[in-house]
Amino acid sequence: MARCNTLSASSELMHLVPLLVLLFTWPAAAWVSERLEVEVLMDVKAALDPDGLVLESWKRGGQPCSGSFEGIFCNSVGRVTNISLQGRSLTGYIPHEVSELLYLSGLFLHFNELQGGIPGSLFTLESLTDLYLNWNQLTGPIPPQIGQLTRLQALELCCNKLEGEIPVEITTLSNLKTLAINANSLYGTTPTTVGDLTMLQRFDLSNNTLIGRIPDSIANLTNLVFLDVSNNFLSGPVPTGLFSLSHGFNYINNSGLCGASVNISPCLASGPTSSKPPPPEPSQKFKRILSLTTAIVFAVGGSAFLILVYICLKHWNANLRYTLDIKPATNTDVKLVQTSANSGEKAENISETTHHLRGSFNGSTPDFSTLGRSRVMSGRSTSTVASNGLSSPAEWNSWIHLDELETATNYFSEKNLLRKSCHSAVYQGVLRDGTVVAVKAIYNTRYSFGEQDFQNALEALLQVKHENLVNFLGFCCSKGGSECFLVYELVSCGSLEKNLHGPSEVLLNWSMRVNIIRGIAKGLAHLHEGITEPLTMVHQNLWAGNILLDKQGNALLADYGLSDIVAEEVMYATHKTLASLGYLAPEYAYTGQVTEDSDIYAFGALVLELLTGNRPMFFTNSTRTLVNTHASVRPLLDLGKIREFVDPKLEDNFSLEGAAGLAHIALQCMSEDPGVRPNMVDVVLRLNAYEGWSDMPIDSFLFTTTTAGARQLSFSRVESLHQCR
């Protein structure tokens, strides 16, 4: 019996041995786990930041969860759950070692310059809910392994160089709320099973080369509030349910789409009442081949054109800079337009100003030495700026952190996103002082072109103020200036593009349209001639999307002064887009330069757009042909058939004489000879000289010149100038 008790005690002791071993080795095991996670992060650092210039706080042997590792967040048990490194100028690649961080739920690497592909091993992270890789230089396909991320709620891959088809596995992500794969080089069709994404709220496919139909199953997504399929090669009927999204559905520049909406061509009816069977349609395979062939032809031709433009611009800009540095232009003959009580005296000064400032092309390169200022981009030379009392680069050392803008926009959340393109994104936010702002994120700047010129261009924006310009409040740029965030006062009623062509129920009546035309003219005249050297600027991106409307219906110009801030390739892409939309002056094809005359041409296109209700280039519903609004209005105006080109939505509620006068101004502004176009000061005077344009009282036009006190704005005034490290 004693022997049995001894054996029983021995047996119990043997069972306790593993527990005792685990108890004594647990601290060591925990230390090994933490050390391994540090080692993983060091490998991640070496890949993301190969030059070691950004992630200096990530040190071998450190504690990632102590708060010392920049952008690292951990859970309560000390495991890494979040890597937040957006906008940090990272230039490496995404390593497969990230997949070893098993507790990772959020990976935020957007607004960087990461290259290479998306590693398939990344999709083994079962806890991942947020994946933001947008605004980088990533290449290759979207890995089909993405279907393994069953908990994923937000997938942001836009604005990269991804290619290939959309993997069907992406439609198995049942928890996905945001899917943005726009602005890449994706081709093929949209998976028909996209309707399985029952939680999806935002879906962006725009700016790719997708073909085929919009799947009918998309209309079954009851949580969907935003869908953008614009700028693709889609065709066929639009699912009827999508039009209920109103402002949340964008589908422009898909010439093959049709449907039951006022802004899209109706689909050809076919039914049992038809006496003859409709002609057979081309096969789907033939359509794909035709679309891809067209895309390739346009891509090759466009690339060759841009290369030629780039070479010419380089040559001309080099000559221009030499001229500006060696022989600075004089402006002794230029009279500034000042606010004066004597309107007659003011008009005389304006006339003298325009006499000296007008130039002409006449088929040849203009002589910039006679203009008294530069009329092409990047013409604000350092020497000229310094001589006019602007701050020196030494005053740019008081940088503050990005935290305020991240807090204001909820870390640039998708919920705060207003709009985005391949080169920028705009977010709504609220600053600490309660100011409601729009934050424009630019990831590709001209900083490397010249630090001082870049800084002077930013300060120039702060000093240009006018009632018809969106109020610029400040900015925030990362180290090296590769990413910048421009802060503007928020304009509440959206763009002219959306108000005029979108599914909005608000009708722009005649008086509102005339007021908008006046506002555009005054804002543009102020940029061209209403401010002193060297602040005068060419807009270079004037179209309906950059005309914003406030609550009173006043027009405010947005995106002015960006040509000296964004990278040259961004401006080339912008000009290419403007050309395709019909806003770019024809002389750009052989000069490669955007001047004040180009802005005047775009203004004329905007006037016709407001008069006719049509974009400068549009497809007709009946013939499905591309129509040039400028070319269609001129013969009607010559024949006196004014009502035939005025927007039918206005019915008879407009001034016939006013419409004819505005059309004459627009066509003169769009003259093929730049020298024939009127300057904007003359246009403003003509718009305000006659009360018959509308039934509105004529407002006086006064240039708001920058006061001496305003030009002394110091970079030490942090309350008005938001900068960051």
Side-chain angles (χ1 to χ4, degrees), residues 515-561:
N515 188 49
I516 291 170
I517 290 172
R518 287 191 179 126
I520 299 171
K522 290 194 293 185
L524 202 55
H526 186 73
L527 291 177
H528 288 182
E529 302 178 15
I531 44 183
T532 59
E533 282 284 355
L535 300 179
T536 51
M537 59 183 65
V538 179
H539 192 291
Q540 298 208 42
N541 191 12
L542 194 63
W543 71 292
N546 277 335
I547 307 299
L548 304 184
L549 305 180
D550 64 13
K551 292 181 179 179
Q552 290 73 40
N554 297 314
L556 286 81
L557 275 60
D559 274 6
Y560 57 92

Side-chain angles (χ1 to χ4, degrees), residues 90-156:
L90 300 173
T91 58
Y93 63 94
I94 303 173
H96 66 84
E97 284 86 356
V98 175
S99 62
E100 298 180 44
L101 302 172
L102 302 181
Y103 289 81
L104 196 66
S105 62
L107 182 59
F108 302 90
L109 298 176
H110 48 301
F111 290 109
N112 284 293
E113 300 174 25
L114 298 175
Q115 303 181 18
I118 303 175
S121 59
L122 192 65
F123 303 113
T124 62
L125 294 169
E126 298 179 355
S127 300
L128 202 62
T129 60
D130 295 272
L131 181 58
Y132 284 70
L133 304 180
N134 45 312
W135 295 93
N136 281 288
Q137 304 292 324
L138 301 177
T139 56
I142 301 175
Q145 297 94 319
I146 195 171
Q148 301 173 24
L149 300 179
T150 56
R151 297 185 182 181
L152 197 64
Q153 297 180 19
L155 177 61
E156 282 277 359

Side-chain angles (χ1 to χ4, degrees), residues 356-506:
H356 290 293
L357 292 181
R358 288 303 294 155
S360 62
F361 278 82
N362 296 323
S364 61
T365 305
D367 181 7
F368 295 104
S369 63
T370 65
L371 293 178
R373 60 197 168 106
S374 172
R375 300 178 61 177
V376 295
M377 65 180 182
S378 307
R380 191 176 289 112
S381 68
T382 301
S383 58
T384 307
V385 172
S387 66
N388 281 269
L390 300 188
S391 303
S392 66
E395 297 181 40
W396 286 70
N397 295 327
S398 57
W399 299 93
I400 62 175
H401 204 269
L402 183 63
D403 285 348
E404 179 166 7
L405 294 185
E406 289 181 332
T407 302
T409 60
N410 192 19
Y411 291 90
F412 302 100
S413 167
E414 279 289 314
K415 294 180 180 179
N416 289 356
L417 180 66
L418 297 177
R419 60 185 181 275
K420 60 181 165 182
S421 65
C422 297
H423 310 290
S424 64
V426 181
Y427 298 86
Q428 179 176 340
V430 182
L431 298 181
R432 293 168 184 167
D433 61 2
T435 304
V436 182
V437 297
V439 181
K440 186 181 184 69
I442 301 173
Y443 82 99
N444 195 357
T445 73
R446 290 176 61 91
Y447 180 86
S448 59
F449 186 79
E451 179 179 357
Q452 193 172 18
D453 283 347
F454 179 75
Q455 294 166 352
N456 288 331
L458 284 171
E459 185 177 359
L461 283 180
L462 283 167
Q463 301 183 50
V464 178
K465 304 293 182 184
H466 189 269
E467 61 183 353
N468 293 110
L469 300 178
V470 177
N471 191 19
F472 179 67
L473 300 177
F475 60 92
C476 165
C477 291
S478 63
K479 289 181 178 179
S482 57
E483 299 90 22
C484 275
F485 302 89
L486 308 184
V487 185
Y488 301 86
E489 281 187 3
L490 185 69
V491 182
S492 55
C493 292
S495 68
L496 176 61
E497 164 73 20
K498 287 190 175 181
N499 280 275
L500 193 58
H501 304 298
S504 172
E505 297 180 358
V506 178

Side-chain angles (χ1 to χ4, degrees), residues 314-363:
K314 279 294 203 180
H315 176 71
W316 281 322
N317 277 345
N319 291 338
L320 176 59
R321 294 183 186 283
Y322 175 82
T323 302
L324 289 173
D325 291 338
I326 304 302
K327 296 181 179 180
T330 61
N331 57 359
T332 56
D333 293 333
V334 179
K335 293 188 178 182
L336 302 180
V337 182
Q338 304 288 347
T339 302
S340 173
N342 188 335
S343 59
E345 178 184 353
K346 176 169 160 275
E348 181 181 355
N349 287 344
I350 292 175
S351 178
E352 292 184 20
T353 300
T354 56
H355 174 74
H356 290 293
L357 292 181
R358 288 303 294 155
S360 62
F361 278 82
N362 296 323

